[in-house]
Amino acid sequence: PTTSAVPDVSNQDPDTAQATLEASGFKVTRTQQDTTDPNLDQIVISQDPVGGTQAKAGDTVTIVIGHYTGQ
């Protein structure tokens, strides 16, 4: 299979990030990470593989979504 660059979707809302990745031929898995920073609530705070790296079409990209805990 051919490889292509994984789009960098950090700091995007999860739906936009997922649409961007799927349009580039990748599957998407979402996971949450608690954060005490309200600015990171419902924002992609990291991804694996990271944006700009090469991956095969159809590979899964995991996006980590911030979940504000209010602390």
Side-chain angles (χ1 to χ4, degrees):
T2 59
T3 62
S4 58
V6 177
D8 182 1
V9 295
S10 55
N11 299 315
Q12 294 184 11
D13 72 88
D15 292 336
T16 300
Q18 183 165 347
T20 298
L21 290 165
E22 288 176 345
S24 296
F26 299 102
K27 296 176 182 163
V28 179
T29 299
R30 296 182 183 204
T31 186
Q32 270 190 186
Q33 179 176 317
D34 289 344
T35 179
T36 56
D37 184 344
N39 296 318
L40 297 178
D41 190 44
Q42 296 305 306
I43 296 295
V44 176
I45 56 177
S46 66
Q47 68 185 78
D48 180 31
V50 296
T53 58
Q54 295 290 313
K56 288 182 255 179
D59 278 0
T60 299
V61 177
T62 301
I63 56 174
V64 180
I65 303 159
H67 176 255
Y68 179 57
T69 59
Q71 297 175 355

